[in-house]
Amino acid sequence: MGQYLQMGICYRLEVDKKRLDKLEVTLEGMINELNKHLDITLYEINETHEEVIFEIKETVALEQLQEFMQYQYSMYPQEQWDTDCFESASVMIGELSSLKELVELAEEGRFPCFQSNIITDEVKVSAWDSLRVEFSMLVFFIEGKIYMEGYGAFLKYIENNIRESSKKWKIAGAFKCFID
């Protein structure tokens, strides 16, 4: 099967409360650590008996996802197939009116350039301890199986992002990245 490079927006995080208690990590401590990875102010925080759940604020997703994705897609080197997929997904996203609808569209897998995935990762909470976090993603880039020959489009994406975000420095126009 293989692994794929996936990039997107994390719309939900879930943390097991038993693990928090076992590590003696407070909610505030966990939020401080998660803030090193994501801007937690973008999320609403809810608790159940078993979990602490962070869900992206619906207004943030509805007001910014479409425009953000269009901008990111513009930085990606595209063939006509990609352009058509990006345009179709973007139009459909713009027509939705709730986070639930966005997630459902991503879960349908209708668009190769807009899907849903759940990634489990570890977040360090102390020098010795890590906290398992489940990240639910709205994935807008899935770059083929990870093998060296397949990095070309991704590296071009990085170059475009560096140049765009570094316009302050003219030298950024000379930025390139390679795998050698």
Side-chain angles (χ1 to χ4, degrees), residues 82-98:
D82 294 325
T83 302
D84 294 344
C85 182
F86 295 158
E87 281 182 29
S88 298
S90 182
V91 167
M92 181 73 76
I93 289 165
E95 295 172 355
L96 302 177
S97 59
S98 71

Side-chain angles (χ1 to χ4, degrees), residues 6 12 23 29 36 65 89 93 135 145 150 158-159 165:
Q6 298 179 42
R12 183 180 173 102
L23 296 176
K36 295 176 183 175
L65 181 64
I93 289 165
F135 295 91
K145 286 191 178 183
I158 291 172
E159 288 175 3
S165 65

Side-chain angles (χ1 to χ4, degrees), residues 22-128:
K22 182 179 178 185
L23 296 176
E24 298 178 354
V25 176
T26 64
L27 180 60
E28 183 179 318
M30 177 186 61
I31 289 171
N32 289 337
E33 290 305 315
L34 288 173
N35 252 324
K36 295 176 183 175
H37 303 274
L38 297 165
D39 180 354
I40 297 301
T41 65
L42 298 173
Y43 297 84
E44 294 176 357
I45 304 169
N46 296 299
E47 293 185 52
T48 67
H49 290 298
E50 291 102 26
E51 298 176 307
V52 179
I53 300 167
F54 299 80
E55 191 161 69
I56 198 160
K57 293 175 182 172
E58 188 168 65
T59 55
V60 171
L62 293 176
E63 292 172 4
Q64 296 186 18
L65 181 64
Q66 181 186 28
E67 188 176 339
F68 175 77
M69 286 176 52
Q70 288 172 333
Y71 180 76
Q72 294 304 313
Y73 288 156
S74 75
M75 303 280 243
Y76 203 74
Q78 301 168 17
E79 296 179 21
Q80 188 60 45
W81 181 88
D82 294 325
T83 302
D84 294 344
C85 182
F86 295 158
E87 281 182 29
S88 298
S90 182
V91 167
M92 181 73 76
I93 289 165
E95 295 172 355
L96 302 177
S97 59
S98 71
L99 178 60
K100 182 179 184 218
E101 289 176 338
L102 284 169
V103 171
E104 288 172 353
L105 177 65
E107 288 175 345
E108 282 177 24
R110 183 184 312 181
F111 300 103
C113 61
F114 187 68
Q115 297 187 21
S116 175
N117 200 2
I118 298 173
I119 309 293
T120 302
D121 199 8
E122 301 284 325
V123 173
K124 279 265 198 211
V125 291
S126 72
W128 302 105

